[in-house]
Amino acid sequence: MMDQAQSLRQLVSSQDSKVAVRGGSSARIITVCSGKGGVGKSNFTLNFALTLKAMGKRVLLFDADIGMANIDVLMGVSARYNLYHLLKREADIEQIIQYGPNSLPFIAGGSGMDELFTLSESDLDYFTNQIALIADSMDYILFDTGAGLSKETMKFITSADDCLVVTTPEPTAITDAYALMKVVNRTYPETSFKLIVNQAGDEREAIATSDKIRMAASRFLQLDISYLGHISSDAHVVQAVKRQTPFTLAFPNCIAAKDIHRLALSYLTIDSKKTTKVQGIKGFIHKWLKRSK
């Protein structure tokens, strides 16, 4: 099997040809957020990324959960490097990209996320150019942000091409998901949200949960929120977390795995119909910087 570092070097060196095949398009930047913790946001992000990859998409997973980064733990992978090492120029982009199950490339966050918000102009240029080396060869870059709405999470949400909001049918999760979108919408009304209901008892409960949020957003915010789909409450998910193995790989035929497959198909269908050009990683960082001033 090809050495992972060698594989990444080939990916970076073949950047121009890959972009040409895709018609010059850049990676779509997706942030995944939630109004509160405990709704399965990170687990969803990981399995969603793996599902997109299984469908032939080139995906990079970025753990942007400041202080609570745990994507590597969910995969049972020990990350040797994280974002901090890149920002301190102790490692380059080839070195900090780690590989999870099914060779899913990911960047661990950790303490490096704090450093990201205090970069000098020179260091920011270096960071942007390094990330662009690999980002331009991806179809999707997923940022798993922290739960709730910190000022840092706000920047990620409002700078991305898409924002996926994960909630559950619990009243507190519903309230907090709505509150997050309400606060973001007040400042950046152009932000587009897609809703995912996790840990649903059945499809009826998921739709009822979605309707509560969407109707409130439409009535009080004049905001149209898309419902992307749901993931059923499934004991296999808990078992997979204990094994530190993504549930789509540990139990590929379980209900939750089938649900996330349908959800990913729904997302790709919607994405394929979009006519607006994506901004790419440099556009994302430029917008993110404006939010930081």
Side-chain angles (χ1 to χ4, degrees):
M1 184 175 181
M2 184 182 296
D3 178 78
Q4 291 175 335
Q6 180 184 354
S7 176
L8 180 58
R9 282 192 292 272
Q10 289 188 1
L11 179 60
V12 172
S13 65
S14 63
Q15 170 185 352
D16 293 338
S17 62
K18 284 182 179 290
V19 170
V21 169
R22 298 175 56 218
S25 61
S26 300
R28 182 171 292 280
I29 311 299
I30 305 170
T31 56
V32 185
C33 63
S34 63
K36 65 185 291 293
V39 300
K41 172 186 55 62
S42 294
N43 205 13
F44 163 78
T45 308
L46 170 58
N47 284 278
F48 183 64
L50 283 166
T51 302
L52 289 177
K53 189 174 187 300
M55 292 177 173
K57 302 301 178 182
R58 291 164 295 189
V59 182
L60 174 64
L61 179 56
F62 202 125
D63 195 340
D65 190 344
I66 299 173
M68 296 292 288
N70 63 357
I71 288 291
D72 53 342
V73 177
L74 288 171
M75 291 188 286
V77 175
S78 178
R80 180 180 179 185
Y81 297 106
N82 59 36
L83 185 62
Y84 176 85
H85 298 95
L86 177 66
L87 299 180
K88 292 300 182 181
R89 308 196 187 197
E90 296 175 4
D92 60 23
I93 188 65
E94 293 182 18
Q95 293 171 302
I96 73 161
I97 290 186
Q98 314 287 293
Y99 288 86
N102 282 11
S103 299
L104 175 70
F106 74 97
I107 296 178
S111 60
M113 291 308 303
D114 289 324
E115 301 283 337
L116 185 58
F117 296 96
T118 58
L119 290 180
S120 66
E121 186 173 344
S122 172
D123 288 339
L124 186 64
D125 285 342
Y126 173 77
F127 166 74
T128 302
N129 291 330
Q130 283 285 300
I131 294 295
L133 285 174
I134 187 65
D136 286 344
S137 295
M138 294 292 168
D139 296 312
Y140 297 101
I141 300 178
L142 274 69
F143 284 87
D144 179 40
T145 66
L149 189 60
S150 65
K151 62 179 180 180
E152 290 82 10
T153 299
M154 170 79 90
K155 295 171 190 173
F156 280 109
I157 290 174
T158 59
S159 301
D161 296 303
D162 283 327
C163 178
L164 309 185
V165 182
V166 181
T167 188
T168 70
E170 294 180 3
T172 54
I174 294 172
T175 301
D176 289 345
Y178 173 76
L180 180 147
M181 290 184 278
K182 179 180 178 180
V183 172
V184 172
N185 179 255
R186 281 179 175 174
T187 309
Y188 301 103
E190 72 278 8
T191 304
S192 177
F193 299 101
K194 292 181 176 62
L195 188 63
I196 293 129
V197 179
N198 194 25
Q199 301 170 18
D202 53 31
E203 186 176 14
R204 180 180 298 180
E205 183 179 48
I207 293 175
T209 300
S210 169
D211 285 347
K212 289 178 183 178
I213 297 174
R214 296 177 68 236
M215 289 174 65
S218 177
R219 179 179 178 183
F220 299 110
L221 307 177
Q222 290 73 55
L223 178 62
D224 184 20
I225 298 172
S226 301
Y227 172 52
L228 196 57
H230 78 281
I231 301 101
S232 302
S233 181
D234 189 338
H236 292 98
V237 175
V238 177
Q239 293 178 41
V241 170
K242 290 179 179 178
R243 293 186 186 184
Q244 292 183 277
T245 304
F247 66 82
T248 51
L249 301 182
F251 306 103
N253 295 315
C254 72
I255 296 173
K258 292 178 180 178
D259 287 340
I260 207 164
H261 185 271
R262 281 192 292 268
L263 197 151
L265 278 177
S266 178
Y267 179 82
L268 292 178
T269 299
I270 294 171
D271 189 37
S272 67
K273 296 178 181 178
K274 291 181 177 178
T275 57
T276 55
K277 187 177 179 180
V278 298
Q279 59 186 336
I281 192 66
K282 289 189 176 181
F284 167 78
I285 293 176
H286 175 74
K287 189 182 290 186
W288 179 81
L289 276 177
K290 290 175 64 179
R291 307 289 196 251
S292 302
K293 292 180 180 178

